[in-house]
């Protein structure tokens, strides 16, 4: 998910933002943030080999995503409701990512030597 959304935002920020009139400053900022999202996705992929030993990295990345989700949640209180893809992202950030971090922790505990 982060890889696809990050790449799409880097290549077509106006399309991802749903604003064909996205100015150069907003477009630049959108590309930057999309690059960060893409990098977070690469970080998650780097955990896949031997995920049971990548707990620190996985939890750091999950924390970054969760913090971004909390910022997006704050936006619901102070701005108009965004389009459904943004709400889908919010659910992924606040529900799925913490669940994956909990799953990774259980996997790591199962592989730990007593």
């Amino acid at each position: 998910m982060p890889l696809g959304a990050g790449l799409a935002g880097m290549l077509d920020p106006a399309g991802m933002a749903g604003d064909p009139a996205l100015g150069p400053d907003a477009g630049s900022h959108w590309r930057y943030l999309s690059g960060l999202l893409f990098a977070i996705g690469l970080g998650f992929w780097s955990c896949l080999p031997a995920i049971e030993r990548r707990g620190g990295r996985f939890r750091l990345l999950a924390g970054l995503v969760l913090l971004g989700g909390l910022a997006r949640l704050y936006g619901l209180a102070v701005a108009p409701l965004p389009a459904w893809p943004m709400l889908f992202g919010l659910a992924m950030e606040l529900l799925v990512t913490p669940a994956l971090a909990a799953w990774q922790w259980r996997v790591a505990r199962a592989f730990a030597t007593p």
Side-chain angles (χ1 to χ4, degrees):
M1 179 68 182
L3 289 173
L7 184 60
M10 288 187 297
L11 298 177
D12 183 18
M16 282 293 291
D19 183 0
L22 194 65
D25 291 343
S28 174
H29 191 62
W30 191 276
R31 281 188 176 92
Y32 171 76
L33 294 176
S34 295
L36 292 178
L37 183 59
F38 188 77
I40 289 170
L42 291 175
F44 275 120
W45 275 100
S46 74
C47 293
L48 290 181
I51 195 167
E52 70 279 2
R53 295 191 316 248
R54 307 282 193 259
R57 181 184 312 170
F58 200 92
R59 285 189 300 277
L60 172 64
L61 293 165
L64 293 172
V65 171
L66 179 64
L67 186 57
L70 292 173
R72 193 189 302 258
L73 182 63
Y74 169 73
L76 292 180
V78 298
L81 194 65
W84 74 265
M86 299 303 159
L87 296 174
F88 176 76
L90 179 65
M92 296 293 289
E93 295 152 359
L94 296 182
L95 301 173
V96 175
T97 301
L100 287 172
W103 167 80
Q104 188 284 330
W105 181 75
R106 284 193 304 274
V107 168
R109 290 201 53 190
F111 279 85
T113 55

